[in-house]
Amino acid sequence: MQTSSDRGRIVFLDWLRGLAAIIMLQGHTFNSFIRPEELKDGWYEYSQYFGGQAAAVFLFVTGITYGLGMTKRESLPLGQRFLAALRRSRYLFILAFMFRVQMYVFGYPQSQLSDLLTVDILNAMGAGLLLLSVLALISDNLRRARWAVLAGVAFAGLAPVMSGLDTSQIPDYLRAYFVPRFTFSLFPWGAFLALGCACGSVLTLVPRGSWDRVMQWIAVVGFALIMCGLYMAGLPYSIYSNAEFWLDSPALVACKLGAIFLMASGSFLWTEYLSTGWSWVRVLGTASLPVYWVHVELVYGRWFPSFKERLTWWQCVLFSICLIWTMVGMALVLKQIPWRKWLSNGSPSAARARRESLQTQTQPPPSLAVRD
């Protein structure tokens, strides 16, 4: 497996994240701009089907980086490891709130104060990592991975149960974190964070020469998960009385996880053997957060009012291409700006975090090769 000299980033994960950004951009473009009479068209349905995979990829890769961070800090005392995990959760909660404030300001006066409490994918990431932060107290990689897998199974398996509970007494903005709905609740979306954390915890344990075989098995497991998920979804009976496939079904989680595995193995194959030199997809992946932030405002905000629900499918395709390359250009500009460093340094504990980082910096483990 190769890592980039750019902050030790893992190349194929950046490419996977960039691929997810592409399908997210086209999915949101079709969702916002296509004409109502074409909603039943096959192009729109395929667009939304693939576009729904992007969030699962982002959550999974976030979980991987979370697990890698825990592995990196294993030499630190328990308290410091736990606080570092909590800081990551806090960072995402701050970003989520900033995102909602920006959307409220740009949407004023049509926006409402209740919009500030809307639960989006950044909120789900922050809440999920908050719950998973206890895994930082486990020093052994394999044990931490096992517990993370159990947490992922629980997030997926309990989703239909959470849907059936009477939670009417809980404020709606809190229920949105736990009760499945067509946004981003912890049940079942937290499963991708937890399972990604499991993968990140064991990532560096794979010997250098074994990555090809590992990726082959990941592809096989991906196919198996998709087939199992579809089989479970088609059964005439279920242990759940109220499971809905597109909302809270564990079968959907299995299908999405299988698709992630196939995308990951394909990304590894491309970056390891087929890609030469500069990759615009990877550039998009290294700036997935600002790409998400900016494109939501462009697509769902006030910027193109004459396009909303008025474009044909081929016009949506053309707009998607323009939007993708606009985001690539923005990512190239941001690459010259240390925006991640600015965001990280905004917290009072930034100095302590930098000291911990200096204490734990080591050469890449034997399983990682560095790409210049």
Side-chain angles (χ1 to χ4, degrees):
M1 182 175 57
Q2 297 173 331
T3 64
S4 166
S5 58
D6 179 17
R7 299 178 67 247
R9 300 179 67 93
I10 299 175
V11 174
F12 88 93
L13 289 182
D14 280 340
W15 208 90
L16 173 62
R17 196 185 283 111
L19 183 60
I22 291 171
I23 62 177
M24 172 187 67
L25 292 171
Q26 65 81 27
H28 287 172
T29 297
F30 271 81
N31 181 259
S32 179
F33 295 144
I34 199 165
R35 298 185 302 185
E37 55 267 29
E38 297 195 33
L39 291 179
K40 297 298 182 180
D41 184 79
W43 287 102
Y44 177 77
E45 293 183 354
Y46 281 122
S47 166
Q48 299 309 292
Y49 176 78
F50 289 108
Q53 183 66 24
V57 173
F58 289 135
L59 288 163
F60 188 79
V61 176
T62 299
I64 288 179
T65 58
Y66 200 53
L68 285 171
M70 291 180 183
T71 301
K72 179 181 177 182
R73 300 184 185 92
E74 280 185 344
S75 60
L76 297 178
L78 287 179
Q80 292 187 29
R81 298 207 307 261
F82 183 61
L83 288 177
L86 289 178
R87 281 196 294 271
R88 181 63 175 173
S89 171
R90 180 190 62 182
Y91 169 75
L92 287 168
F93 270 124
I94 292 174
L95 287 179
F97 181 71
M98 291 171 58
F99 176 71
R100 299 319 312 180
V101 169
Q102 179 266 313
M103 295 293 288
Y104 173 82
V105 172
F106 278 51
Y108 190 83
Q110 280 74 28
S111 54
Q112 302 176 357
L113 282 176
S114 59
D115 295 340
L116 297 175
L117 300 177
T118 301
V119 176
D120 209 334
I121 189 171
L122 293 175
N123 304 76
M125 285 181 179
L129 297 189
L130 177 63
L131 295 178
L132 295 174
S133 61
V134 295
L135 296 176
L137 302 176
I138 304 174
S139 299
D140 181 74
N141 283 9
L142 291 177
R143 280 204 307 131
R144 183 166 60 247
R146 292 190 194 104
W147 281 104
V149 169
L150 289 175
V153 172
F155 278 127
L158 293 176
V161 177
M162 296 298 297
S163 293
L165 294 178
D166 182 10
T167 56
S168 57
Q169 302 302 316
I170 303 176
D172 189 63
Y173 70 91
L174 290 178
R175 292 195 319 134
Y177 280 97
F178 300 101
V179 180
R181 55 182 63 189
F182 290 104
T183 51
F184 296 100
S185 58
L186 286 174
F187 299 90
W189 289 96
F192 301 108
L193 275 174
L195 296 171
C197 183
C199 290
S201 297
V202 299
L203 197 63
T204 58
L205 299 180
V206 180
R208 181 194 304 241
S210 300
W211 267 102
D212 287 356
R213 181 61 59 84
V214 168
M215 283 301 176
Q216 291 173 17
W217 278 108
I218 285 178
V220 171
V221 173
F223 275 117
L225 283 170
I226 293 174
M227 293 298 103
C228 289
L230 294 175
Y231 176 76
M232 290 188 297
L235 289 175
Y237 52 85
S238 173
I239 62 174
Y240 304 105
S241 60
N242 60 327
E244 184 177 344
F245 181 77
W246 293 109
L247 177 64
D248 53 17
S249 173
L252 177 62
V253 175
C255 291
K256 286 184 176 293
L257 183 62
I260 291 174
F261 283 2
L262 291 177
M263 293 170 67
S265 58
S267 299
F268 177 82
L269 174 64
W270 178 263
T271 57
E272 192 74 9
Y273 297 107
L274 302 177
S275 176
T276 56
W278 182 78
S279 170
W280 63 270
V281 177
R282 183 169 173 262
V283 168
L284 204 59
T286 57
S288 56
L289 174 61
V291 166
Y292 168 77
W293 195 311
V294 173
H295 100 276
V296 169
E297 175 61 35
L298 290 177
V299 173
Y300 292 107
R302 300 177 175 179
W303 297 89
F304 300 99
S306 60
F307 289 0
K308 296 295 177 65
E309 299 184 352
R310 296 182 182 179
L311 301 186
T312 62
W313 70 265
W314 66 267
Q315 289 173 326
C316 287
V317 170
L318 182 61
F319 188 96
S320 298
I321 294 173
C322 295
L323 179 63
I324 289 169
W325 281 103
T326 299
M327 294 297 101
V328 171
M330 184 190 72
L332 289 173
V333 173
L334 291 176
K335 191 175 177 62
Q336 310 303 318
I337 303 173
W339 56 274
R340 288 189 183 87
K341 186 175 180 180
W342 295 346
L343 288 175
S344 299
N345 289 347
S347 94
S349 57
R352 188 188 322 130
R354 286 194 295 271
R355 286 197 300 272
E356 292 175 4
S357 176
L358 290 174
Q359 292 171 4
T360 57
Q361 280 180 356
T362 61
Q363 293 297 320
S367 62
L368 302 181
V370 176
R371 169 181 290 181
D372 295 327

